[in-house]
Amino acid sequence: MELPLALLRFGVLALLWLFVLAAVRVIRHDLFGPPVAAAGGSARPAPHAARPVHRSAARRLLVTSGPLAGTAVGLNDRPITFGRGSSCTVVLGDDYVSNQHARLTPAGDRWMLEDLGSTNGTYLSERRVTDATPVPLGAPIRLGRTTLELRG
């Protein structure tokens, strides 16, 4: 009688540990984003990376999903900041966006995206932005639950 009880206890303990590990994995993914392939790995290139993009071709920024879906912002020669803070150019009512989350800056003939130390990160075409990164037309920019795109 003791052996089945011991096996049952071990099984419940194993299931509990599997649950804890799954919860840690989900939290890690939410905080740090999806894992990035190693330098020698087979990472897929960004779908829009091969297309040359000129800033003059981008005339607006469109919110494609999130609380402001359908909103368009006209582009000029000024940087655009994103976040929940009232001082941002585009104020996003998204709980997963920091007060000062990201900035889109004109640089010569292109637009550069940079993360401003946000908690949940800034993503361009499923890749986490760590340095100033050029943004191609139509490439999805994800800030929390909000997705934006540069359009012509």
Side-chain angles (χ1 to χ4, degrees):
M1 185 68 181
E2 289 183 26
L3 181 62
L5 187 59
L7 290 174
L8 182 63
R9 286 180 182 168
F10 179 74
V12 169
L13 186 61
L15 285 174
L16 180 62
W17 273 107
L18 286 174
F19 174 75
V20 168
L21 291 175
V24 167
R25 184 174 181 211
V26 167
I27 291 170
R28 181 181 177 275
H29 183 272
D30 286 347
L31 289 176
F32 303 110
V36 178
S42 61
R44 295 183 322 196
H48 303 285
R51 232 175 19 188
V53 175
H54 299 287
R55 185 168 49 90
S56 59
R59 290 185 167 63
R60 61 191 171 112
L61 180 71
L62 181 66
V63 181
T64 57
S65 70
L68 296 176
T71 304
V73 177
L75 300 175
N76 53 32
D77 289 335
R78 292 189 174 170
I80 299 173
T81 55
F82 305 95
R84 286 191 330 231
S86 60
S87 63
C88 293
T89 311
V90 177
V91 178
L92 301 170
D94 184 336
D95 292 337
Y96 292 91
V97 172
S98 300
N99 284 332
Q100 294 286 323
H101 196 98
R103 177 174 37 230
L104 194 61
T105 309
D109 63 346
R110 57 188 173 182
W111 288 90
M112 303 295 284
L113 177 66
E114 57 186 313
D115 184 79
L116 299 177
S118 65
T119 303
N120 293 323
T122 301
Y123 295 86
L124 177 63
S125 297
E126 300 300 322
R127 291 187 178 183
R128 189 167 185 155
V129 173
T130 55
D131 296 320
T133 306
V135 181
L137 280 178
I141 300 168
R142 186 170 54 88
L143 314 169
R145 292 182 176 162
T146 302
T147 307
L148 313 112
E149 292 180 6
L150 285 178
R151 297 283 177 92

